[in-house]
Amino acid sequence: MEFSEKMQQLRKQRGMSQEKLAEIIGVSRQAVSKWESGQSYPEMDKMLSLSELFNVSVDSLVKDAPNNPPPMEITHISKPAIDRRFMYHYEYKSKKTWFGVPLVHVNIGRGVYVAKGIIAVGNIAIGGLSIGIITLGGLCLGALSLGLFSFAGLAIGLLLSMGGLAVGAIAVGGLAVGIFAVGGLSVGMFSIGGCAIASHIAIGGYASGHIAIGDSVHGAYTLAIQDNDFSSIKAEQVERLIRQEYPHLWNSITARIVSLFN
């Protein structure tokens, strides 16, 4: 008897529909239909789950080995026993590709599953737009992200990063490290935060840099605020000092910093 015929027989003996079997094993109904029509075979983890569910050996499923399990043993299979073997997994991969890469790849479940696509969603996701626990690519969202634009608990972005710990050209986070850093503790060329440390311009409650602006300031040139009020510093003062010390600094950067003041 072929595997496909055994599958149908065992399922029907237990009064299960294809939908019910698919739900228990963690696959689509179409996958079960393909198994029973002989178009495909289950992966090894699914084969083990079928073996546990039907109380048969894997050999008896794939070979013509005799197998006559007593009905009473089947009725006493506890759901927790099945759940211990149950490994949820869902995968979708679009047929449309771009240079051989799927436009959409979703690969999630209990375990380590990698999704690779223009849009990738998975435990580990790699793509133009990546969403997952660990993400790499262009625009990344996850617990740990590395990309051009990263948003995560730990975010590393070549251009922009936002997260609890953010590292990037422009970094925003509890701890921010970058060329432009904004955060509780910010370290960079230009830093703004509760504690700002910068090689060029630092603005914050505690500010340390070549130009330091804030409550407690340390640097070659300092502007101390009055009564915790940054409006006590005039925009003209800041602009004059920046242009004096950094005459070749891009006007857009100077304007952005000056806009923080009256």
Side-chain angles (χ1 to χ4, degrees):
M1 185 183 295
E2 296 293 331
F3 168 77
S4 58
E5 297 174 304
K6 293 178 185 179
M7 274 286 301
Q8 292 185 58
Q9 184 182 78
L10 289 168
R11 175 177 61 78
K12 291 177 180 178
Q13 283 177 353
R14 287 149 183 81
M16 292 183 183
S17 65
Q18 288 185 341
E19 289 83 356
K20 184 62 177 177
L21 178 58
E23 179 184 345
I24 294 173
I25 299 302
V27 297
S28 65
R29 187 200 63 77
Q30 289 78 6
V32 173
S33 177
K34 287 182 179 180
W35 296 346
E36 294 189 355
S37 63
Q39 297 179 49
S40 65
Y41 286 87
E43 297 176 354
M44 181 53 68
D45 62 329
K46 301 298 184 291
M47 190 71 78
L48 291 171
S49 296
L50 290 168
S51 169
E52 175 72 15
L53 176 62
F54 293 135
N55 194 29
V56 297
S57 67
V58 173
D59 281 349
S60 67
L61 279 173
V62 298
K63 297 179 182 178
D64 285 331
N67 182 71
N68 296 303
M72 290 302 294
E73 291 185 17
I74 296 169
T75 59
H76 283 84
I77 296 178
S78 63
K79 190 175 186 300
I82 296 173
D83 286 346
R84 284 194 296 269
R85 292 289 187 117
F86 180 77
M87 295 292 288
Y88 171 74
H89 176 225
Y90 172 78
E91 182 173 12
Y92 167 78
K93 186 181 291 186
S94 66
K95 294 181 180 179
K96 292 185 177 181
T97 62
W98 190 56
F99 293 101
V101 179
L103 292 181
V104 179
H105 188 192
V106 179
N107 197 10
I108 57 177
R110 297 178 183 174
V112 179
Y113 294 99
V114 179
K116 297 180 180 180
I118 305 303
I119 299 175
V121 180
N123 298 34
I124 299 174
I126 304 170
L129 169 59
S130 303
I131 302 173
I133 298 173
I134 300 175
T135 58
L136 299 92
L139 174 58
C140 300
L141 308 173
L144 170 60
S145 296
L146 171 62
L148 291 176
F149 303 90
S150 297
F151 305 87
L154 171 57
I156 302 174
L158 297 180
L159 297 179
L160 170 65
S161 63
M162 300 180 69
L165 170 58
V167 179
I170 301 175
V172 181
L175 170 58
V177 180
I179 297 174
F180 301 93
V182 179
L185 170 59
S186 55
V187 180
M189 291 179 66
F190 307 92
S191 299
I192 302 173
C195 177
I197 301 172
S199 60
H200 287 46
I201 302 171
I203 303 171
Y206 170 86
S208 177
H210 183 72
I211 297 175
I213 305 171
D215 186 22
S216 176
V217 290
H218 300 272
Y221 296 89
T222 61
L223 295 173
I225 64 174
Q226 303 296 323
D227 301 322
N228 295 319
D229 183 8
F230 275 88
S231 65
S232 61
I233 302 295
K234 300 302 180 183
E236 294 79 4
Q237 292 178 273
V238 177
E239 182 175 7
R240 185 165 54 249
L241 185 55
I242 292 175
R243 295 197 183 283
Q244 171 188 310
E245 293 303 303
Y246 301 106
H248 301 297
L249 187 64
W250 291 349
N251 289 332
S252 59
I253 297 176
T254 300
R256 180 67 65 179
I257 296 172
V258 171
S259 68
L260 299 174
F261 304 91
N262 290 329

